[in-house]
Amino acid sequence: MPRLWNETIDAHRRAVRDATLDTAAALLAEHGLASVTMSKIAELTGIGRATLYKYFPDVDAILLAWHEREVGRHLDELTKVLERAGSDPSDRLRAVLTAYAIIHQRRARQHRHHGAELAAFLHRDEHTSLAHTRLHGLVRDAVEAAALAGGVRDDVSPDELALYCLHALAAAGFLPSTVAVERLVDVTFTGLRHSH
Amino acid sequence: MPRLWNETIDAHRRAVRDATLDTAAALLAEHGLASVTMSKIAELTGIGRATLYKYFPDVDAILLAWHEREVGRHLDELTKVLERAGSDPSDRLRAVLTAYAIIHQRRARQHRHHGAELAAFLHRDEHTSLAHTRLHGLVRDAVEAAALAGGVRDDVSPDELALYCLHALAAAGFLPSTVAVERLVDVTFTGLRHSH
C-alpha cells in the first residue's frame, strides 16, 4: 500500500484513540468514574460500539490508556522545563521539582470532585506503569547530576532521593495555593542537601 | 441492670468486633480483598451471619473499621514513642518520624501481596478518617514544638510541614531495608531545617 495511505490510516487510528480518551476524561471529571461506560463513550464520540471495542476491550483499558497519556504529557512538560532550564544542575533539579509539584496540584484541582475514586482506581497501576518508571528516571537523573556537581548529598543513592522527592511533592495535591507549593518545593529541596 | 452485667455485655461486644476485624485482616493478607466476604468471616469466627450483620452492614464497613483500628494502634505506638523520647523537641520529632516511617514499611510488607488493591480501597477514605486527622495532628504538634525551640524552620506552618513529612515518609513503603528507612528519615528531617 502507498505510504500516504498508511499515514492516513495511522492518523485516523490516533484520532479515534484520542477522541475516546478525551471523552472518558471529560466524563470522569464531570460525573465520576461510574459515568464512564463503553456505550456513553460511543454515543458522545459518534464512534460505533463495535469499532470502540476493537480499540479497547473495556472501560478499565480506556482509563489506564488515558492515565498513561496524561503521565506521558507530564513527562513532555518536564522535559521541556529541563530544556529551558540553565546549565546549573541544582537549578535544573529545582526547576523539575517545581514543575512536578505544580502538575500534581493542577491534577488534584482538575479532579477535585472525583479525585479520591480516581486515585483509588489508578493506585493499583500507578507505580508499575511505564510512564511512572520514566518519570522516576527523569527525576533520578536530575538528582544524580546535581549530586555529581556537589549541590545534593551523595551519601544517599539518586534512586532513593528521587523516591523521596516524588512522595514529598505529592503533598502538593493537598495545598491551596501556588505559594504553598513553592514552600513545599523549598522544603523538599532542602532535604536533598547534606545534613550537618 | 447491674454494672457487672453491662461490663460483660461490653466485653462480649468488643470480642465479637475484634474477632471480626482480625479474621478480615487475616483473609485480606492471605488471599486478597475479594476473599473477604460476610459468609467467610461468619464461618471462620463462628459468629452467626445474622449476628454479624447486626455489627456491620457489609464488608466495606468491616474493612474501614479494621483500618481505623490499625491507624489507632499506630497512633498509640507513636504516643508511646513520644513518652519514651527525651525532652529535646528536635529529638522527639525525629523519634516520631522514624517510628512513623518504620510502621509504614512494616505495613507495606504485611500487605506485600495485596497492598496495591488494599491501598486502592482505603485511598478513598484515608485522608478523611478521624484517625488520620489525629495522626496529622500528632506530627504537627511535634513539628510545632521543634520549631518553637528553633530546631525546625518557622517560616512554613507546622501544618504544611506535617503534610510534607507524612507524604515523604510514605516512600518507606517502597524501601527494602531499615537502613534505607533511616536514610529517608534523615533526608526528610533535613528538609525541616532552615534553608540557606
Side-chain angles (χ1 to χ4, degrees):
Chain A
M1 252 184 284
R3 197 166 137 212
L4 194 65
W5 176 245
N6 280 333
E7 276 171 16
T8 309
I9 297 273
D10 275 356
H12 175 72
R13 281 195 184 132
R14 260 200 312 279
V16 170
R17 207 181 140 81
D18 279 342
T20 303
L21 304 189
D22 291 344
T23 305
L27 281 171
L28 187 67
E30 210 156 330
H31 308 289
L33 210 52
S35 75
V36 188
T37 63
M38 296 299 268
S39 349
K40 197 74 196 165
I41 290 172
E43 183 197 321
L44 290 172
T45 54
I47 300 166
R49 275 174 57 96
T51 309
L52 186 58
Y53 276 102
K54 276 186 202 153
Y55 282 77
F56 297 101
D58 51 30
V59 166
D60 281 17
I62 293 176
L63 289 170
L64 291 178
W66 164 75
H67 184 240
E68 198 74 7
R69 191 184 69 176
E70 281 285 290
V71 184
R73 286 178 177 175
H74 299 162
L75 271 164
D76 291 345
E77 240 181 290
L78 296 178
T79 306
K80 273 183 200 132
V81 164
L82 274 177
E83 281 165 9
R84 283 195 307 267
S87 61
D88 179 74
S90 283
D91 291 348
R92 291 170 65 79
L93 174 58
R94 202 179 175 111
V96 164
L97 298 185
T98 305
Y100 178 78
I102 289 170
I103 287 170
H104 226 285
Q105 190 192 36
R106 190 180 65 206
R107 203 177 70 162
R109 279 187 186 168
Q110 275 163 356
H111 299 287
R112 64 191 175 288
H113 298 308
H114 309 287
E117 58 168 9
L118 178 64
F121 172 79
L122 294 173
H123 202 97
R124 282 171 288 173
D125 303 276
E126 185 112 84
H127 293 280
T128 51
S129 81
L130 182 64
H132 194 271
T133 306
R134 283 173 58 210
L135 184 63
H136 179 89
L138 184 140
V139 173
R140 185 201 54 223
D141 292 349
V143 166
E144 193 164 28
L148 281 169
V152 159
R153 64 193 294 166
D154 56 1
D155 57 340
V156 179
S157 75
D159 253 322
E160 282 183 22
L161 291 179
L163 193 69
Y164 151 79
C165 288
L166 292 177
H167 275 86
L169 296 175
F174 297 89
L175 292 175
S177 65
T178 311
V179 192
V181 168
E182 280 165 11
R183 286 194 293 264
L184 174 67
V185 172
D186 192 57
V187 169
T188 305
F189 192 75
T190 303
L192 298 173
R193 302 250 181 98
H194 279 283
S195 61
H196 304 289
Chain B
M1 252 185 283
R3 195 164 140 213
L4 194 63
W5 177 244
N6 280 333
E7 277 171 14
T8 309
I9 297 273
D10 275 357
H12 175 71
R13 282 192 183 136
R14 260 199 313 278
V16 170
R17 204 180 142 82
D18 278 342
T20 303
L21 304 189
D22 291 344
T23 305
L27 280 171
L28 187 67
E30 210 156 332
H31 308 290
L33 210 53
S35 75
V36 188
T37 63
M38 296 300 268
S39 350
K40 197 74 197 167
I41 291 173
E43 183 197 320
L44 290 172
T45 54
I47 300 166
R49 274 174 57 97
T51 308
L52 185 58
Y53 276 101
K54 277 185 201 154
Y55 282 77
F56 297 100
D58 50 31
V59 167
D60 280 16
I62 294 176
L63 289 171
L64 291 178
W66 164 75
H67 184 240
E68 197 74 7
R69 190 183 70 175
E70 281 286 289
V71 184
R73 285 178 177 174
H74 299 160
L75 272 164
D76 292 345
E77 241 181 289
L78 296 178
T79 307
K80 271 182 198 131
V81 164
L82 274 177
E83 281 165 9
R84 282 195 307 267
S87 60
D88 179 74
S90 282
D91 290 349
R92 293 169 64 80
L93 174 58
R94 202 178 175 111
V96 164
L97 298 184
T98 305
Y100 178 78
I102 289 170
I103 286 170
H104 226 286
Q105 189 190 38
R106 191 179 66 207
R107 202 177 71 161
R109 277 185 188 170
Q110 276 164 355
H111 299 286
R112 64 192 175 287
H113 299 309
H114 309 287
E117 57 169 11
L118 177 63
F121 172 80
L122 294 174
H123 202 95
R124 283 170 288 172
D125 302 276
E126 184 112 83
H127 292 281
T128 51
S129 80
L130 182 65
H132 193 271
T133 306
R134 284 174 56 210
L135 184 64
H136 179 89
L138 184 140
V139 174
R140 186 200 53 224
D141 292 349
V143 166
E144 193 164 27
L148 283 169
V152 159
R153 64 193 294 167
D154 55 3
D155 57 340
V156 180
S157 75
D159 253 323
E160 282 183 22
L161 291 178
L163 192 69
Y164 153 78
C165 288
L166 293 177
H167 275 86
L169 296 175
F174 297 89
L175 293 175
S177 66
T178 311
V179 193
V181 169
E182 280 164 11
R183 286 194 292 265
L184 174 66
V185 172
D186 193 56
V187 169
T188 305
F189 192 75
T190 303
L192 299 173
R193 303 251 181 99
H194 279 283
S195 61
H196 304 288

